Amino acid sequence: MLLLPVRTHVVIGFYASIHQSILSYVLVQTSHTFGAVCFAPAGYPYNLDFDFSPLTQFQSFSINNLGDPFIESNYGVHSRQFEVAVLDWFARLWELKQDEYWGYITNCGTEGNLHGLLVGRELFPDGIMYASHESHYSVFKAARMYRVECVKIDTLVSGEMDCADFKSKLLMNPGCPAIVNVNIGTTVKGAIDDLDKIIRILEKCGFRDRFYIHCDGALAGLMMPFIKQAPKVTFEKPIGSVSISGHKFMGCPVPCGVVITRLAHVKVLSTDIEYLSSRDTTIMGSRNGHAPIFLWYTLNKKGYRGFRKEVRKCLRNAHYLANRLREEGVSASLNMLSSTVVFERPRDVAFVHKWQLACEGSIAHVVVMPNVSVEKLDGFVEELVANRSCWYDGKGHDIPCVAKDIGQDNCLCSLHNTKHKNVEEL
């Protein structure tokens, strides 16, 4: 893996301040750079279709929601009223009563995972964590931070947890409670772990009342409720917590997220802090008070119908992209209920950087977000195909095999491309 160091020309005056004209020049140039790179983001799940200009009036305030969102601290410039309104909305979405839930707006999806898994560890100090190999890296970070044994579960070619392997490894530790991370959309392939099957396995293997499930729904956690045929993520099932990223599907100018858990659970890590006049229940102390206002504004502006419309658009466009790639002879796959299109990794680093593709091993992906239009997808495919003919010198047999990553049915290399084989046989 090539790691590129950051070199900066954005200097800071050490002894003397820098003239305003120079500062303005640097900022204008940076803004132009952002505008250029925002034209072609495809590999990362950020919805850039937002306009928060009505909220610029709040930029002159240092808004800090330090402490528990439900207990007002001595610091007066906060946005707890917006935060609680957002939390109420998500608790209702995931079917947890207002007097039975607790949650907060995090700084990112990672913090939501850290909090959800911490609650699980506090409830079951002798528990073992189970997570699929394709879980987000923050899940394994949590295991290291909390000194919890973590058992990695194999995955199917789709990226979904292999429940047979989960059952097998679960039965190796019958005396230890299970802390399970369930992916509601894996990072690379957008796969959905089978929550209902995981719950059945836990109960049949004798873990009833001895397990905690955290649902990592960073991107798809906010999409699933708006898809009719999708399995439900709900607190009516025996789950402990759900987290999502606020800056992904919703769209936000700052990284943020939401984590919801059961009120009874969070009491295991609550500590009153006198000088805050609040309670320590969150991972971070000081918390961004602008993010709740952004999320509140988006929820009210779009509403349930608006999100449903955007989800349908993303799924429709993702299918369009996957079909276009296959038509051009590019190996590609798309999981059901996902807007993440996986395909063979481009050979050109410059192409990867231009389109800001996320790559892993021999594959890359495009995450189709609300701001990604069909026209942009067409431009991406056309440029990929044009470059690809140079990478492989027009020789079909040089096309890489990605069957182990996306399945034989989706691989269009000379070995697995049925259409190609039939032509050769003729």
Side-chain angles (χ1 to χ4, degrees):
M1 179 175 63
L2 179 63
L3 299 179
L4 300 178
V6 174
R7 292 291 180 264
T8 180
H9 299 292
V10 182
V11 298
I12 298 176
F14 194 79
Y15 292 107
S17 60
I18 295 179
H19 194 273
Q20 182 61 42
S21 61
I22 299 177
L23 296 178
S24 298
Y25 173 78
V26 171
L27 294 175
V28 167
Q29 292 302 310
T30 303
S31 179
H32 289 165
T33 301
F34 286 169
V37 298
C38 280
F39 171 76
Y44 293 89
Y46 304 139
N47 181 5
L48 305 180
D49 185 16
F50 57 76
D51 176 16
F52 291 107
S53 54
L55 304 183
T56 55
Q57 57 190 306
F58 296 105
Q59 296 306 305
S60 58
F61 298 101
S62 177
I63 311 175
N64 192 333
N65 287 8
L66 72 170
D68 191 295
F70 298 94
I71 303 174
E72 190 168 332
S73 75
N74 289 331
Y75 185 68
V77 187
H78 63 80
S79 61
R80 278 181 174 79
Q81 65 274 39
F82 294 94
E83 182 172 17
V84 171
V86 171
L87 297 174
D88 283 346
W89 191 91
F90 278 97
R92 182 179 179 183
L93 184 71
W94 293 320
E95 300 180 312
L96 191 54
K97 294 178 181 178
Q98 193 167 339
D99 60 349
E100 294 180 0
Y101 91 86
W102 184 90
Y104 74 103
I105 292 180
T106 62
N107 289 307
C108 58
T110 288
E111 187 180 350
N113 288 340
L114 292 178
H115 192 278
L117 294 169
L118 176 61
V119 173
R121 199 286 305 268
E122 292 298 283
L123 288 170
F124 298 109
D126 58 339
I128 293 176
M129 189 182 299
Y130 297 86
S132 81
H133 280 279
E134 299 206 25
S135 297
H136 191 259
Y137 66 86
S138 62
V139 173
F140 306 111
K141 178 191 292 186
R144 293 194 303 272
M145 289 174 64
Y146 305 148
R147 298 292 190 266
V148 176
E149 180 184 350
C150 183
V151 176
K152 292 186 178 181
I153 309 300
D154 293 341
T155 56
L156 306 177
V157 71
S158 64
E160 176 187 338
M161 180 186 286
D162 183 341
C163 286
D165 188 56
F166 172 59
K167 180 179 180 180
S168 174
K169 290 175 177 173
L170 188 67
L171 289 173
M172 293 179 183
N173 304 286
C176 298
I179 303 168
V180 187
N181 179 77
V182 173
N183 294 308
I184 312 301
T186 56
T187 307
V188 177
K189 298 179 181 178
I192 312 292
D193 291 342
D194 192 332
L195 174 60
D196 293 337
K197 192 171 184 179
I198 289 169
I199 292 171
R200 286 197 300 270
I201 290 172
L202 286 163
E203 293 180 339
K204 288 182 179 180
C205 290
F207 284 81
R208 186 182 295 273
D209 300 325
R210 293 194 304 123
F211 68 84
Y212 180 93
I213 292 177
H214 171 68
C215 298
D216 177 10
L219 172 62
L222 188 52
M223 299 176 68
M224 296 277 283
F226 302 97
I227 305 173
K228 284 185 178 180
Q229 64 271 34
K232 291 186 71 174
V233 177
T234 169
F235 280 90
E236 291 186 351
K237 300 174 183 179
I239 63 175
S241 51
V242 182
S243 64
I244 61 120
S245 295
H247 57 285
K248 291 182 179 174
F249 191 78
M250 289 181 71
C252 190
V254 295
C256 59
V258 175
V259 62
I260 297 289
T261 187
R262 298 178 188 273
L263 179 60
H265 289 349
V266 81
K267 292 177 181 177
V268 298
L269 46 79
S270 299
T271 305
D272 290 339
I273 306 298
E274 183 178 359
Y275 72 84
L276 293 182
S277 186
S278 188
R279 185 169 294 154
D280 177 25
T281 45
T282 59
I283 297 290
M284 298 298 158
S286 290
R287 297 185 297 108
N288 187 337
H290 291 88
I293 302 176
F294 290 133
L295 298 183
W296 172 87
Y297 183 80
T298 300
L299 290 172
N300 279 289
K301 189 174 181 181
K302 294 184 178 180
Y304 189 94
R305 291 181 180 177
F307 283 116
R308 183 172 59 189
K309 182 179 178 181
E310 289 191 338
V311 169
R312 289 175 176 174
K313 173 188 174 184
C314 290
L315 295 179
R316 183 172 62 250
N317 288 351
H319 280 278
Y320 173 82
L321 173 61
N323 290 333
R324 276 228 52 194
L325 288 170
R326 291 168 185 147
E327 288 168 2
E328 297 291 349
V330 180
S331 300
S333 69
L334 173 64
N335 277 316
M336 189 180 297
L337 311 178
S338 175
S339 66
T340 300
V341 180
V342 183
F343 59 99
E344 61 192 57
R345 182 174 186 161
R347 287 192 172 184
D348 186 6
V349 174
F351 180 86
V352 170
H353 285 171
K354 174 183 176 179
W355 290 95
Q356 300 167 55
L357 300 177
C359 304
E360 184 177 84
S362 59
I363 56 175
H365 74 201
V366 165
V367 185
V368 180
M369 300 299 287
N371 63 294
V372 179
S373 64
V374 170
E375 291 73 23
K376 184 175 289 187
L377 295 175
D378 282 335
F380 169 78
V381 173
E382 289 165 7
E383 187 173 335
L384 174 64
V385 172
N387 281 276
R388 195 166 173 266
S389 62
C390 299
W391 302 337
Y392 302 122
D393 297 322
K395 300 173 183 177
H397 63 270
D398 283 339
I399 295 173
C401 176
V402 289
K404 69 179 181 62
D405 298 296
I406 62 175
Q408 294 184 12
D409 292 341
N410 297 310
C411 182
L412 298 182
C413 73
S414 57
L415 179 64
H416 297 107
N417 188 348
T418 306
K419 183 178 178 181
H420 179 77
K421 276 190 193 176
N422 292 339
V423 171
E424 283 187 340
E425 288 170 0
L426 292 174

